[in-house]
Amino acid sequence: MIAQPKLLGAEHMRVRGTVQGVGFRPTVWRIASELGVTGSVINDAQGVLIIAVASPEAIDTLARRIHAEVPALARIESFERQAVALPVPLPGAFVIEASRPTATAAMTTAVTTAVAADAATCADCVAEIFDPFSRRFRYPLTNCTHCGPRLSFVTGVPYDRARTTMAGFAMCTACQSEYDNPADRRFHAQPIACHVCGPRLSLQRMDERVFTLDSFTFLDDCDAAGTLLARGHIVAIKGLGGYQLACDATQADAVDRLRALKRRERKPFALMAASVDDIRAWCGVSEAEALLLQSPAAPIVLLDKLLMGSKLGTKTAIAAGVAPGLRSLGFMLPNTGVHHLILRRMKRPIVLTSGNLSDEPQATTLQALKQRFPVGIDYVLDHNRPIARRVDDSVQRVVAGAPQVLRRARGLAPEPIRLPAGFEAAPPVLAYGGELKNTFCLLRQGQATLGPHIGDLEDAATHADWRRALLDLQAFFDFTPSVHACDAHPEYLSSKFAREQSPQTVDVLHHHAHIAACLVDNGWPLQAGPVVGVALDGLGYGAGGELWGGEFAIASYTRFERRGTFKPVALLGGEQAMREPWRNTYAHLMAEMKWAAFDMNYGELPLHAFLAAQPRALLDGMLSRGVNSPLASSCGRLFDAVAAAMGVCREHAAYEGQGAVELEALVDAEVLQYEDEELGYPFAIPRLPASVSPERLAYIEPLAMWSALLGDLVLHTPVPTMAARFHKGLASVICKMVDKVAQAYDPNQPLKHVALSGGVFQNRVLLERVSQLLRAAGYTVLTHHRVPCNDGGLSLGQAAVAAARVLQPQLQESAPCA
Ligand SMILES: [Zn+2]
Ligand SMILES: [Zn+2]
């Protein structure tokens, strides 16, 4: 039998996703060349287009192997294949073509390719930096297609060197030949650079006085910076997405000076150490945590401090001022060669915090840094590769073996999040996020792209920066929204800006957005019916202008029926109640027992003396007349009230939720785990009177908790025991309320899924305990993974709710507000 000659076929393969600047084309080239496939691969505004000519079998193999061998930083969102006529003449080889804005006239011009997130220096590049025989020995900005700057240095699409902040650096012949060689790790690595042709570091004094390294025995600027840090100086370092301030983490004086300089009283600082092994001297690091630290995003990972006396003996202690009152430390590994070189010299961890004053955006130019810090920074380790956009450090942690994101920025944004089934036909939505920890979200073609963490919009500079970033990313993605979604709060700056952009915004209740974000995060399909949504946080705008912050609802993307809440208690002094936690204690105690009863039963407590010294007549007047003391069902403020009662963060909170964070750190784990639910402080679940709530909403009543807590104070019970009893009792009553809501949906077929969201669930003790109790009761628990449970995740939830309302308009009417 005579073998038939193999028939040739031709296909166009359209690949979308994170496929530019991540070594995708060389991978395709390599596989195609191995298979004898001819044709081409090209970057365009849509992503990557492959033209493949070969036998149908070889083309199938090519498609299969591309999926199997996708490079580390690449992510394929869609892969479409289309048979086409054989090109004339037939290509003689497989080639990588130069990028062009649009591949063919027939395709739409919308820019849909995703730009990759920045990635920490890969192991191969680190090895070169420390290899004396490599031509990049000690070159601090070494990178390749698997690592280096992306979002922080891209200025346009398609992704090409001319549209990055490396445009001004002409490659030397050695770099050019690496860049042109498809078999090289640096093939088309746009940030490629070396000692000869790349950006250069310079170590300067911030006061601009002349400073030379000549009299020192340093190798180079990074080494000198490391030595200066070790001597106790504060050094600004230009990172991937902004300038950061560093000091030796083991020197208390330096840490205190840095705090004073940043006007950051108590909020914890992040640390950077050279390796996971180094970190293990101060913190417990599980396998999952080690993987997270070493991931290309190289985020700050929150880790439990080792208890005194374990491994600490041989190592210098981290200064207490790094994370006052906390049981955890936030550590990250180096993400650029600069960090690697400095830490190699330091041999101990550094504090590395963004170059800004408390809540302002971090500086991305030396000029801005000098403006913000005219004095106080000793040296700056600068370089001349500009930063295209600000990208802060990401924060993650591991809960029950799974990573969670608390701040989504460097290394994570703008990686797209695929929306669950049912959202494929969603219109383009722009969601503006909340007021604090703002992110915004672009939703299109079934996927959501969140911009990097921006911060608190109340700060004028951050607000201006946010507007710029919002317009920048829209222009960058050639994105025109047809739907504008924002928080229902009329005074949020993000909502106001949304209303300036569009007369018809989709206003989403704060806590509905939290639950929707959690649903997307768990791939909950659009049609999949409701869950019990538990949204616990500081404050959010509820239906009818009420202030909510501890809500239990029957919830889906199109529905948010509130069925339970925390007891509404006055925010004594409005905003002031957040800054002075004792105000919440006072409001709670007056709501529960009035002064006479408190005075009679607890007169000998220091808490009594403290409250008695406050202007009580004024406060009582405000409470009785409801002046500047709106009612709020806030779980966050309950935490403040309880912590302050125990003497934890009583007079003044340096950051939102400080009381809760420090109370959690104090929890006595043995008391918490002890198998006796009675140990937990008791709460009741009565119904609100018809005068307050016509539907007589069920609420969590803390009177019994307060009696038990005050009794413990009388008995001088240790604070860690009381903190454990509070967490235990609260977790227990949350689960009881979930049962009520699940039953309320349908007593014969109660809801089986519970979504936990809102900033209160940053509290790991509470999150783990509630999850554990709910699972034991047979529920499936949905928690956050890729987007924060705090307000950093709101924009994703807003976008999903707005899209769902367009896709399922008939369900909208059946979604009562409260
Ligand atoms: Zn690399
Ligand atoms: Zn070079």
Side-chain angles (χ1 to χ4, degrees), residues 232-234 252-262 376-378:
H233 291 286
I234 292 177
D253 289 359
V255 173
D256 291 346
R257 273 205 299 135
L258 187 52
R259 275 209 180 278
L261 181 64
K262 281 197 49 145
I377 301 176
D378 304 316

Side-chain angles (χ1 to χ4, degrees), residues 484-503:
H484 296 255
C486 63
D487 193 281
H489 200 302
E491 295 303 319
Y492 273 12
L493 293 168
S494 52
S495 304
K496 284 183 169 172
F497 187 58
R499 288 174 194 126
E500 282 171 28
Q501 302 303 302
S502 164

Side-chain angles (χ1 to χ4, degrees), residues 85-100:
L86 281 175
V88 184
L90 285 175
F94 195 87
V95 294
I96 299 175
E97 281 186 31
S99 300
R100 53 184 158 169

Side-chain angles (χ1 to χ4, degrees), residues 420-590:
F423 282 99
E424 294 80 3
V429 183
L430 175 60
Y432 291 74
E435 182 89 339
L436 305 176
K437 298 185 172 72
N438 182 284
T439 62
F440 51 81
C441 173
L442 321 181
L443 185 152
R444 56 178 178 170
Q445 294 177 356
Q447 67 182 35
T449 302
L450 272 77
H453 164 89
I454 297 281
D456 299 349
L457 301 187
E458 289 162 342
D459 176 83
T462 306
H463 184 220
D465 195 59
W466 172 77
R467 287 186 179 221
R468 266 196 303 278
L470 192 65
L471 299 173
D472 161 57
L473 225 60
Q474 282 185 82
F476 188 70
F477 285 112
D478 195 12
F479 179 78
T480 310
S482 66
V483 178
H484 296 255
C486 63
D487 193 281
H489 200 302
E491 295 303 319
Y492 273 12
L493 293 168
S494 52
S495 304
K496 284 183 169 172
F497 187 58
R499 288 174 194 126
E500 282 171 28
Q501 302 303 302
S502 164
Q504 278 195 313
T505 54
V506 176
D507 296 357
V508 182
L509 286 180
H510 191 94
H511 301 92
H512 188 191
H514 271 311
I515 299 302
C518 185
L519 293 178
V520 174
D521 210 344
N522 287 276
W524 191 257
L526 177 59
Q527 314 284 355
V531 301
V532 180
V534 182
L536 310 183
D537 63 1
L539 274 187
Y541 196 78
E546 288 178 20
L547 294 176
W548 291 358
E551 314 311 319
F552 299 77
I554 297 169
S556 69
Y557 295 109
T558 48
R559 181 174 181 182
F560 192 79
E561 272 175 62
R562 200 162 71 121
R563 292 301 178 96
T565 185
F566 276 66
K567 177 172 182 164
V569 175
L571 285 178
L572 193 45
E575 295 265 302
Q576 251 178 310
M578 264 161 267
R579 292 188 288 270
E580 297 177 9
W582 62 266
R583 287 170 175 270
N584 301 293
T585 316
Y586 190 76
H588 263 272
L589 293 177
M590 292 312 102

Side-chain angles (χ1 to χ4, degrees), residues 228-351:
L228 291 168
L229 286 164
R231 289 181 183 177
H233 291 286
I234 292 177
V235 180
I237 299 170
K238 188 174 191 176
L240 279 171
Y243 285 82
Q244 297 191 298
L245 304 182
C247 74
D248 182 343
T250 65
Q251 297 187 37
D253 289 359
V255 173
D256 291 346
R257 273 205 299 135
L258 187 52
R259 275 209 180 278
L261 181 64
K262 281 197 49 145
R263 291 183 218 149
R264 181 152 150 164
E265 252 177 285
R266 217 173 148 83
K267 217 170 179 180
F269 279 144
L271 299 164
M272 183 181 272
S275 69
V276 171
D277 276 348
D278 279 5
I279 296 173
R280 289 203 163 107
W282 294 281
C283 290
V285 185
S286 69
E287 275 310 299
E289 286 162 342
L291 283 175
L292 203 52
L293 284 161
Q294 293 165 319
S295 65
I300 296 166
V301 179
L302 301 185
L303 301 165
D304 286 337
K305 273 195 237 179
L306 290 179
L307 297 174
M308 296 303 279
S310 41
K311 285 192 204 159
L312 264 178
T314 55
K315 284 276 183 180
T316 328
I318 303 272
V322 167
L326 300 189
R327 204 182 267 186
S328 60
L329 291 173
F331 261 110
M332 62 183 143
L333 292 179
N335 56 69
T336 70
V338 178
H339 302 135
H340 279 286
L341 288 162
I342 289 175
L343 286 164
R344 177 74 57 115
R345 163 68 76 161
M346 285 286 295
K347 297 188 173 60
R348 49 182 185 261
I350 54 172
V351 167

Side-chain angles (χ1 to χ4, degrees), residues 595 598 602-614 650:
W595 186 261
F598 179 65
Y602 306 105
E604 78 275 30
L605 288 180
L607 173 66
H608 179 278
F610 178 89
L611 294 177
Q614 305 305 326
R650 178 178 287 167

